[in-house]
């Protein structure tokens, strides 16, 4: 038996006809770039997230870039984020010539720890200007935005929400994507709301920032594409991806519910054996990953592999230990909470179409491995 880690084929089968039809429609109308489906998707997403402005773009990475460029992040600026995230979060900071300043995570939520952020701001070297925070909603759980908003306000920092993993999550009654000055998400196929290729979006309630990002999305255009008022990117989403996402957005609430049920069963069944995810009151995760901690990770992973059950490690090497960020001068021991999580964490198969018998098998095999 081989269980997929994420089963996108099964999802496709449930929406096959509608998706095929709408892709065909794009092929026929011929507006392959910034076609009508793009605007439809942007307005449906604005409705779903409850934000004023949504701008689709080519990827989650470009969404983060658009956000930072709109706030003129550049050389000399410090942008605070955690080393326990996907490379893209910090990569965009360096690409713009700014400096990622890592802050360790909260050991229960894996999200940026507001108290440690305060300490980092207070001890920032004088040659750097504290400019922005990128808070990541890791594994689909929102960061602590009440605390982060107050830190950002106090120090006059731009707060960016990296919602690449958290579309569909809720924090104190508000949806992921609605926090900070600007939020960025990804529609990479394996994300909770995935397209059939790359895609992303930025969310904001600030009209002037929205307009600036819209300009940057197409080479810094002014009145039109051939009037360029600033340097920008080619960061548009393909119309076909928007057509796909319009359908996926319709079944998304039901899928979030299914993800929730699967996560609940994992937690009820496994919490005596491993450390299961911590979800604070007033929050719901969208379960981009269901990640457990165990001192016996190697044993569990090997046993599950033998049983045809895939697992992944997000993230085995925190960013401060990556060669790409060597020049920042961090060393092992600088972020002990991230480093400890990297040693013990593993993610289990998680998607809305996980069959009950497969999930029971996964659970039984984890328990068997722990008891070995
Ligand atoms: C996936 C991801 C991104 C980047 O999204 P892409 O669409 O792959 O460019 C950024 N941040 C986080 C936390 C992610 O998980």
């Amino acid at each position: 038996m081989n269980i997929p880690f994420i089963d996108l084929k099964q999802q496709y089968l449930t929406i096959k006809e509608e998706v095929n039809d709408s892709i065909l429609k794009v092929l026929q109308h011929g507006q392959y770039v910034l076609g009508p489906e793009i605007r439809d998707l942007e307005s449906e997403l604005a409705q779903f997230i409850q934000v004023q402005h949504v701008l689709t773009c080519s990827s989650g990475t470009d969404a983060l870039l658009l956000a930072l460029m709109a706030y003129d992040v550049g050389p000399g600026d410090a942008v605070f984020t955690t080393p326990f995230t996907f490379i893209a979060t910090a990569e965009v900071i360096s690409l713009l010539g700014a400096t990622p300043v890592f802050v360790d995570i909260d050991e229960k939520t894996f999200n940026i720890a507001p108290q440690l952020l305060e300490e980092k701001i207070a001890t920032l070297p004088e040659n750097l200007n504290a400019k922005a925070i990128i808070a990541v909603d890791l594994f689909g759980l929102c960061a602590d935005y009440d605390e982060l908003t107050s830190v950002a306000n106090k120090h006059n920092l731009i707060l960016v929400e990296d919602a690449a993993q958290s579309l569909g999550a809720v924090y104190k009654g508000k949806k992921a994507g609605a926090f900070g000055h600007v939020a960025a998400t990804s529609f990479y196929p394996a994300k909770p709301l995935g397209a059939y290729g790359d895609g992303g979006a930025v969310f904001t309630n600030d009209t002037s920032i929205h307009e600036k990002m819209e300009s940057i999305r197409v080479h810094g255009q002014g009145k039109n594409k051939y009037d360029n008022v600033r340097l920008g990117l080619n960061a548009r989403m393909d119309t076909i991806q928007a057509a796909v996402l319009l359908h996926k957005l319709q079944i998304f609430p039901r899928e979030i519910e299914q993800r929730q049920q699967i996560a609940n069963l994992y937690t009820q069944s496994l919490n005596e054996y491993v450390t299961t995810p911590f979800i604070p009151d007033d929050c719901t995760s969208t379960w981009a990953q269901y990640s457990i901690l165990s001192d016996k990770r190697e044993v569990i992973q090997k046993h599950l592999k033998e049983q045809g059950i895939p697992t992944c490690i997000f993230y085995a090497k925190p960013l401060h230990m990556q060669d790409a960020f060597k020049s920042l001068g961090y060393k092992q021991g600088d972020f002990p909470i991230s480093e400890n999580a990297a040693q013990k964490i593993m993610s289990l198969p998680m998607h809305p179409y996980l069959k009950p018998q497969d999930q029971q098998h996964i659970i039984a095999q984890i328990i068997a491995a722990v008891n070995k």
Side-chain angles (χ1 to χ4, degrees):
M1 178 155 62
N2 267 309
I3 296 173
F5 189 69
I6 294 180
D7 197 347
L8 294 171
K9 236 186 324 190
Q10 193 56 40
Q11 184 199 44
Y12 172 61
L13 292 177
T14 69
I15 50 173
K16 184 173 170 186
E17 267 155 41
E18 298 94 316
V19 165
N20 287 0
D21 281 354
S22 41
I23 290 177
L24 208 59
K25 232 163 91 190
V26 176
L27 296 184
Q28 285 162 352
H29 72 49
Q31 295 179 61
Y32 307 128
V33 168
L34 299 184
E37 286 83 356
I38 294 284
R39 284 183 293 280
D40 291 349
L41 178 64
E42 288 171 348
S43 81
E44 299 253 328
L45 283 168
Q47 190 72 24
F48 179 76
I49 310 284
Q50 290 290 302
V51 286
Q52 231 169 321
H53 303 290
V54 176
L55 192 75
T56 56
C57 63
S58 40
S59 69
T61 306
D62 286 343
L64 287 166
L65 261 182
L66 287 170
L68 296 186
M69 287 172 79
Y71 284 99
D72 300 312
V73 169
D77 290 334
V79 181
F80 302 92
T81 193
T82 83
F84 199 61
T85 176
F86 182 57
I87 179 92
T89 312
E91 185 181 33
V92 291
I93 302 167
S94 294
L95 283 175
L96 292 173
T99 304
V101 175
F102 292 128
V103 178
D104 215 346
I105 52 173
D106 175 88
E107 67 178 337
K108 281 157 88 181
T109 64
F110 309 120
N111 287 329
I112 193 165
Q115 183 56 42
L116 299 178
L117 171 62
E118 281 276 20
E119 287 169 22
K120 271 287 155 106
I121 295 169
T123 56
L124 191 69
E126 265 180 37
N127 60 339
L128 289 175
N129 161 48
K131 175 84 176 187
I133 305 160
I134 305 182
V136 182
D137 302 337
L138 205 74
F139 303 144
L141 176 70
C142 285
D144 190 351
Y145 287 105
D146 277 357
E147 292 291 325
L148 292 171
T149 304
S150 96
V151 175
N153 289 344
K154 184 170 146 200
H155 298 280
N156 204 14
L157 301 174
I158 303 302
L159 179 57
V160 179
E161 177 186 8
D162 182 344
Q165 302 184 4
S166 63
L167 273 205
V170 179
Y171 172 91
K172 302 188 180 175
K174 261 169 82 175
K175 286 231 174 81
F179 297 96
H181 295 85
V182 59
T185 199
S186 165
F187 303 116
Y188 179 75
K191 307 283 176 170
L193 182 61
Y196 290 149
D198 281 306
V202 280
F203 308 91
T204 186
N205 290 318
D206 183 327
T207 303
S208 69
I209 286 298
H210 171 71
E211 285 169 358
K212 198 164 166 189
M213 293 192 292
E214 196 168 15
S215 161
I216 297 167
R217 180 173 70 169
V218 188
H219 302 293
Q221 70 179 9
K223 287 190 284 299
N224 62 59
K225 201 157 75 174
Y226 304 102
D227 173 35
N228 307 100
V229 296
R230 56 174 68 81
L231 295 179
L233 306 165
N234 172 3
R236 296 167 298 222
M237 175 186 277
D238 290 338
T239 311
I240 286 178
Q241 300 306 337
V244 170
L245 286 166
L246 277 167
H247 279 292
K248 292 223 192 174
L249 190 55
Q250 279 178 26
I251 60 166
F252 193 42
R254 190 181 77 218
E255 289 188 342
I256 295 167
E257 192 48 46
Q258 287 163 324
R259 286 174 178 277
Q260 198 57 54
Q261 284 170 16
I262 289 163
N264 289 347
L265 182 61
Y266 270 143
T267 299
Q268 285 160 21
S269 312
L270 294 173
N271 64 15
E272 284 174 50
Y273 304 95
V274 295
T275 305
T276 51
F278 169 76
I279 306 297
D281 290 343
D282 306 327
C283 289
T284 44
S285 175
T286 195
W287 302 108
Q289 303 298 340
Y290 186 93
S291 304
I292 60 174
L293 296 170
S294 173
D295 293 329
K296 298 181 177 172
R297 179 177 71 185
E298 307 314 316
V299 176
I300 299 172
Q301 220 182 7
K302 181 163 172 283
H303 180 83
L304 293 183
K305 195 174 173 200
E306 286 161 7
Q307 301 293 320
I309 301 166
T311 54
C312 292
I313 298 179
F314 304 113
Y315 295 92
K317 197 192 243 190
L319 297 184
H320 69 287
M321 300 304 294
Q322 298 282 0
D323 284 348
F325 291 118
K326 218 186 224 159
S327 65
L328 297 176
Y330 291 109
K331 59 184 189 309
Q332 183 140 21
D334 283 347
F335 302 99
I337 309 168
S338 297
E339 289 168 26
N340 182 55
Q343 294 296 315
K344 296 181 183 167
I345 205 154
M346 65 189 288
S347 300
L348 306 181
M350 163 54 80
H351 60 85
Y353 305 94
L354 186 60
K355 294 191 198 77
Q357 68 267 32
D358 287 352
Q359 194 181 5
Q360 291 299 351
H361 177 61
I362 297 164
I363 290 166
Q365 294 309 320
I366 292 169
I367 295 171
V370 171
N371 288 333
K372 253 184 180 177

